[in-house]
Amino acid sequence: MKTTVIAIDGYASTGKSTLSKQLAKHLGYTYVDTGYMFRTIGFLVLQNNWLKNDIIAVTELEKALPALQFSWKEGDNAQMHMALNDLVYGEELRTTEVSNLVSKVAALPAVRAHLLDQQRSLSKASSVVMDGRDIGTVVFPNATHKFFLNAKPEIRAERRYAEMQAKGIPGTLDEVLANVIERDRLDSTRAIAPLVKAQDATEIDTSAMDVEAIFQLLCDHIKA
Ligand code: DC
């Protein structure tokens, strides 16, 4: 079956997931949040005490990887959620602790290789809107449409902080800004699949745009 892939890459907290979700719903495609996949692995590292003195126990993690399988699970209102080994994760993946660790986990070659296979197979059964950092460059270099979202770090931190406050997740605006900047640095400078705009991606600076305006822009590009 020929499926369509829409790749939405970009910096942390640029609105990728909100827009990707909205676009997938609009088009009747499956939404795949690849950040969720990396975050669940970061969460497991913390849960299993594989982080010692700020160093990830890579051997333990690599041994566990083959058993980590993602699948779809039906939730309320027939909504599909991505599960890791049959468990659906939520706000526990959005804590400052996980956010501070996830870029280090995402830089590990074995983790990226394991997730790459699973990300590619997710597009076989249905058309997808997939958001992440390397979707248009590495996971699907031949994606049908590619977008790259950016915004000023201060604006991204404010958006993320407001979200955290609304959900009761602890943390200060300064901590969020520091995390956003550090994650951008780690994600853009890692050796494998760094965060970089694909040459043929449409770049959108979302600093001064609201979600509705960006959504319209994406739809117009796809129609065109
Ligand atoms: O989109 P997010 O903020 O939930 O992603 C969490 C981290 O996962 C991000 O800092 C980098 C990593 N990531 C990645 O390296 N490649 C992807 N395709 C998606 C996320």
Side-chain angles (χ1 to χ4, degrees):
M1 175 169 124
K2 174 95 181 81
T3 55
T4 299
V5 174
I6 299 180
I8 305 201
D9 289 305
Y11 289 90
S13 301
T14 42
K16 295 189 301 292
S17 60
T18 307
L19 286 154
S20 303
K21 225 179 273 172
Q22 205 172 326
L23 194 59
K25 194 168 172 201
H26 178 72
L27 298 169
Y29 292 1
T30 303
Y31 165 55
V32 182
D33 173 1
T34 61
Y36 172 95
M37 301 169 96
F38 287 96
R39 282 175 184 270
T40 51
I41 296 186
F43 183 75
L44 289 188
V45 168
L46 292 172
Q47 222 184 17
N48 289 294
N49 281 321
W50 291 333
L51 185 71
K52 301 214 171 76
N53 300 325
D54 235 22
I55 295 170
I56 300 168
V58 178
T59 315
E60 324 268 271
L61 173 57
E62 284 184 5
K63 261 192 250 155
L65 280 176
L68 301 183
Q69 295 298 323
F70 291 89
S71 60
W72 295 108
K73 207 169 172 179
E74 196 170 323
D76 295 342
N77 307 326
Q79 262 209 315
M80 298 309 279
H81 297 280
M82 191 182 275
L84 172 59
N85 294 351
D86 223 34
L87 274 183
V88 176
Y89 292 81
E91 291 311 319
E92 63 272 42
L93 302 184
R94 310 275 150 198
T95 61
T96 307
E97 233 185 337
V98 173
S99 295
N100 284 338
L101 176 66
V102 67
S103 288
K104 289 183 192 145
V105 169
L108 298 172
V111 169
R112 295 212 78 84
H114 182 68
L115 294 188
L116 181 65
D117 283 347
Q118 301 202 42
Q119 287 159 357
R120 285 194 176 146
S121 51
L122 283 167
S123 79
K124 288 186 184 139
S126 84
S127 293
V128 293
V129 179
M130 194 174 280
D131 88 38
R133 302 294 189 286
D134 59 340
I135 310 306
T137 49
V138 174
V139 185
F140 292 108
N142 297 320
T144 322
H145 301 282
K146 297 183 188 180
F147 297 97
F148 189 86
L149 303 190
N150 201 351
K152 291 189 182 77
E154 291 74 15
I155 291 179
R156 293 189 276 130
E158 272 166 28
R159 288 177 186 161
R160 179 74 198 119
Y161 179 64
E163 244 172 58
M164 285 169 69
Q165 282 206 309
K167 290 177 179 165
I169 301 173
T172 67
L173 179 58
D174 283 349
E175 279 169 0
V176 176
L177 178 61
N179 172 259
V180 159
I181 292 172
E182 179 61 359
R183 257 191 319 137
D184 289 351
R185 190 187 68 76
L186 292 172
D187 292 343
S188 319
T189 56
R190 67 175 170 236
I192 302 172
L195 167 62
V196 60
K197 183 181 108 54
Q199 269 186 350
D200 52 350
T202 301
E203 184 161 7
I204 303 173
D205 185 333
T206 71
S207 301
M209 295 174 83
D210 63 19
V211 172
E212 236 357 88
I214 311 165
F215 180 69
Q216 259 326 309
L217 197 66
L218 296 180
C219 291
D220 292 348
H221 267 279
I222 290 167
K223 257 193 245 151

